[in-house]
Amino acid sequence: MILTILTAFLIFISCSDTSKKSYAFGNLPTNLETEHITDTYAIWKNKYVTAEGCPEGAKRVLFDDMSHTVSEGIGYGLLISAMMKDEETFNALYKYYNAHLDSNGLMNWKIDASGKMAGENAATDADVDVAYALLLAHKLIGDEYYLAEAKKIITLIKKHMVEAETYVLKAGDAWGGSLTTNPSYFAPAYFKVFAKVMNDDSWNKVSDKCYEILFKSWNSETGLVPDWCKADGTTPADNVSWAKYGGKTYFYDAARTPWRISKDYLWFGDKRAETYCKAINRFVKKTGISNITDGYNLDGTTFRTEKTSAFVGCFAVATMTSNDQEFINTAYAENITTFNDSYFNDILRLLTLQMQHGMFVKYE
């Protein structure tokens, strides 16, 4: 009896230690409530994942209008379902991705409710997320097919979405580069993983270029970056006259940047990621996580009044790079209680909660 109790206790300690070491660097919240992940996933999946308008056996993620689907949502959905080890949903979403490829073998960015192309060519952030999701699926679900598919997509991303010779991450497979790039697409932690998976050091150069542009475009006091910029960090970027506020502000594109950059500290301890996150955390502490709004000038002055999960959640994950446990816990609690009931906010809330729970692990 005593041996049984001791064994159970040791298993409990072992599991607890493992959860605390989900990331090599940084700190998880200590007020985690696991049921929030399972409940949030079930609600999200029920509302946004559908087989309507899909080939047989495929599923898609509904966009803001609850009709179209964008490749970004498929990428996010694949990341989410891989972390949940939901093989059926993962495979169905990936089947949809493959049903809507452009001539370069990457997904057209927007598809209508009937399955017809509504926006041609691929968006870089989506395919980068799809490639990493396939690696996660290989790690967490275990099929070798996922690794082969990830390598295929990584090869296509390098060929069509990285500007030749400069290593600038393009906006898509048909446009962008040194005159138009998007800091919220920068995923230096992914690119370091791609370098190892592909045995290709050029991906480390892409990672380095992301930081070079990031620190040219940011406000060093707030850490805030614009939605769109040129490789020299200036705005406006070319061909983004359609972007809200000319792409010059910290709006719904840029809001994702802390979520992407913080991974590079949590996984690799990259000092550049730490520098960026320290500035972001100074801004969030000064503002107060409960006072975050959904739009800022780079100097930190707000021009919006709504509080949304996209902003709260992405700022919240950056707090995990700090040693201030109260700050980390408060940000987690704020992410839990912020609801907006829309595609972009709901999906980023789930992704950032998964990250706060230690689920967004490094592929190795």
Side-chain angles (χ1 to χ4, degrees):
M1 178 67 176
I2 293 174
L3 183 60
T4 301
I5 294 171
L6 179 60
T7 301
F9 176 73
L10 290 173
I11 291 172
F12 171 77
I13 292 297
S14 175
C15 290
S16 298
D17 286 348
T18 300
S19 67
K20 289 179 180 177
K21 296 178 181 178
S22 294
Y23 306 125
F25 301 88
N27 298 283
L28 296 182
T30 56
N31 54 337
L32 296 174
E33 297 182 40
T34 305
E35 68 273 13
H36 283 308
I37 294 295
T38 52
D39 292 349
T40 302
Y41 180 63
I43 292 167
W44 171 80
K45 186 176 169 182
N46 182 63
K47 180 174 180 180
Y48 293 104
V49 178
T50 181
E52 293 181 9
C54 299
E56 185 176 353
K59 292 183 179 179
R60 64 192 179 99
V61 177
L62 295 171
F63 187 47
D64 280 330
D65 60 6
M66 299 300 284
S67 174
H68 288 79
T69 287
V70 292
S71 58
E72 167 200 85
I74 297 297
Y76 290 160
L78 287 168
L79 288 170
I80 289 165
S81 56
M83 285 186 272
M84 298 303 294
K85 302 180 184 179
D86 183 348
E87 186 174 1
E88 180 182 359
T89 299
F90 186 93
N91 289 342
L93 292 174
Y94 191 53
K95 186 170 185 177
Y96 186 85
Y97 175 91
N98 281 311
H100 297 288
L101 302 180
D102 67 9
S103 60
N104 291 325
L106 300 162
M107 184 178 167
N108 284 299
W109 79 272
K110 193 172 188 179
I111 310 298
D112 72 14
S114 67
K116 295 179 181 178
M117 182 178 66
E120 64 180 342
N121 303 316
T124 299
D125 61 326
D127 296 280
V128 165
D129 282 331
V130 170
Y132 193 77
L134 285 160
L135 293 176
L136 270 183
H138 179 244
K139 179 183 179 75
L140 300 175
I141 298 173
D143 195 319
E144 290 299 313
Y145 166 75
Y146 299 136
L147 177 58
E149 289 295 292
K151 288 182 175 180
K152 180 182 75 176
I153 293 176
I154 292 167
T155 299
L156 293 173
I157 293 169
K158 179 182 174 182
K159 181 178 180 180
H160 299 292
M161 294 174 160
V162 176
E163 189 175 61
E165 300 182 3
T166 68
Y167 301 102
V168 173
L169 196 68
K170 295 167 62 179
D173 64 346
W175 74 297
S178 291
L179 297 179
T180 311
T181 191
N182 188 316
S184 76
Y185 291 7
F186 297 170
Y190 288 3
F191 303 151
K192 289 177 182 177
V193 172
F194 292 176
K196 186 172 182 180
V197 168
M198 304 301 289
N199 192 26
D200 181 357
D201 186 61
S202 67
W203 280 109
N204 288 318
K205 295 177 181 178
V206 177
S207 181
D208 291 343
K209 180 59 72 170
C210 287
Y211 280 114
E212 180 186 317
I213 299 170
L214 188 79
F215 290 130
K216 286 179 177 178
S217 65
W218 79 333
N219 180 298
S220 61
E221 291 300 313
T222 63
L224 303 180
V225 296
D227 279 354
W228 295 91
C229 67
K230 297 177 181 176
D232 64 6
T234 61
T235 59
D238 280 9
N239 301 315
V240 295
S241 57
W242 43 265
K244 283 283 266 186
Y245 310 111
K248 299 178 182 180
T249 64
Y250 188 88
F251 200 48
Y252 276 90
D253 270 305
R256 299 170 294 185
T257 311
W259 170 67
R260 293 208 184 274
I261 302 299
S262 59
K263 294 185 190 76
D264 203 19
Y265 179 75
L266 296 175
W267 295 355
F268 293 100
D270 192 291
K271 293 297 183 183
R272 295 166 297 183
E274 183 179 29
T275 296
Y276 166 81
C277 289
K278 280 183 176 179
I280 287 291
N281 287 334
R282 284 197 303 269
F283 169 72
V284 174
K285 276 191 174 182
K286 181 178 179 180
T287 304
I289 190 72
S290 63
N291 298 320
I292 291 297
T293 57
D294 66 336
Y296 290 92
N297 296 306
L298 301 196
D299 65 3
T301 55
T302 186
F303 54 88
R304 302 271 294 188
T305 58
E306 190 173 0
K307 177 182 173 185
T308 68
S309 302
F311 283 76
V312 171
C314 292
F315 280 139
V317 297
T319 69
M320 296 163 61
T321 66
S322 79
N323 291 315
D324 187 336
Q325 196 63 57
E326 183 179 358
F327 184 41
I328 296 167
N329 290 355
T330 299
Y332 172 73
E334 199 67 33
N335 200 14
I336 289 290
T337 56
T338 303
F339 297 94
N340 303 108
D341 197 29
S342 63
Y343 152 77
F344 194 69
N345 286 300
D346 281 353
I347 205 165
L348 279 173
R349 179 173 180 269
L350 178 51
L351 280 164
T352 54
L353 284 174
Q354 286 178 312
M355 192 165 168
Q356 287 175 301
H357 277 257
M359 299 172 69
F360 215 126
V361 293
K362 180 174 75 170
Y363 178 84
E364 52 191 351

